[in-house]
Amino acid sequence: LESFEDHRGQYVETYNEKYVYSIEVEEDHSYCLNGFASKNSEGIGYPIMEAMLFGKPVISSSCGGNMEFTNSDNSYLVDYQLTPVYNMPWIPWYSGEMWWGEPNLYQISKWMRHVFEHKESAAAKGKIGQKFILDNYNSKSAITKFVETIETAMSQVRGEK
């Protein structure tokens, strides 16, 4: 993703080195009270990140890649129970020998009611999430993290600690 910081008020994706403006995504979020993802697990969690970018309070499972950027300060996290993967025979790389996080449905409904009944505090949490994404997922932070990763790898190659 291109820098959110450079494109506030817009959502810009990079695709094959071309920029695509997606007004539809922005319009979709304008109709929503909150972002909601109750998946059994989440890869990176771009839809969650998008909702946060647009300042929406997010209700999300505390299982998966979204935990890199969601926390109890900026999101409404839902507990989960590890269960075997099921009901996906058409996807060959999933099997019942694997595990995913089954979200707590009671807790989801509790957070949904909370967001609906406490719109001001939910909006404040959404703004905290938005600031977190803007501050931590931009060009400057990506470059800094990349350089730190390379430096760490190089010091490991050299045998340094």
Side-chain angles (χ1 to χ4, degrees), residues 43-55:
I44 295 173
Y46 285 130
I48 300 167
M49 189 180 278
E50 287 173 352
M52 292 173 77
L53 174 64
F54 287 108

Side-chain angles (χ1 to χ4, degrees), residues 36-82:
F36 173 68
S38 66
K39 298 179 180 179
N40 298 74
S41 84
E42 185 65 57
I44 295 173
Y46 285 130
I48 300 167
M49 189 180 278
E50 287 173 352
M52 292 173 77
L53 174 64
F54 287 108
K56 301 298 179 182
V58 167
I59 301 169
S60 178
S61 173
S62 57
C63 178
N66 60 287
M67 292 306 296
E68 291 292 321
F69 53 87
T70 57
N71 58 55
S72 59
D73 292 332
N74 65 26
S75 305
Y76 297 101
L77 297 176
V78 175
D79 295 331
Y80 65 93
Q81 181 175 353
L82 288 176

Side-chain angles (χ1 to χ4, degrees), residues 17-59:
E17 301 178 15
K18 294 180 182 176
Y19 296 105
V20 179
Y21 177 68
S22 181
I23 189 94
E24 293 85 8
V25 173
E26 188 170 357
E27 287 175 354
D28 289 346
H29 285 285
S30 72
Y31 298 117
C32 299
L33 177 61
N34 65 289
F36 173 68
S38 66
K39 298 179 180 179
N40 298 74
S41 84
E42 185 65 57
I44 295 173
Y46 285 130
I48 300 167
M49 189 180 278
E50 287 173 352
M52 292 173 77
L53 174 64
F54 287 108
K56 301 298 179 182
V58 167
I59 301 169

Side-chain angles (χ1 to χ4, degrees), residues 8-10 13-14 16 19 33-34 37 61 66 69 92 123 126 132 139 149 158:
R8 291 177 195 234
Q10 297 180 22
E13 287 185 271
T14 58
N16 292 338
Y19 296 105
L33 177 61
N34 65 289
S61 173
N66 60 287
F69 53 87
F132 184 86
S139 301
T149 302
R158 290 189 296 264

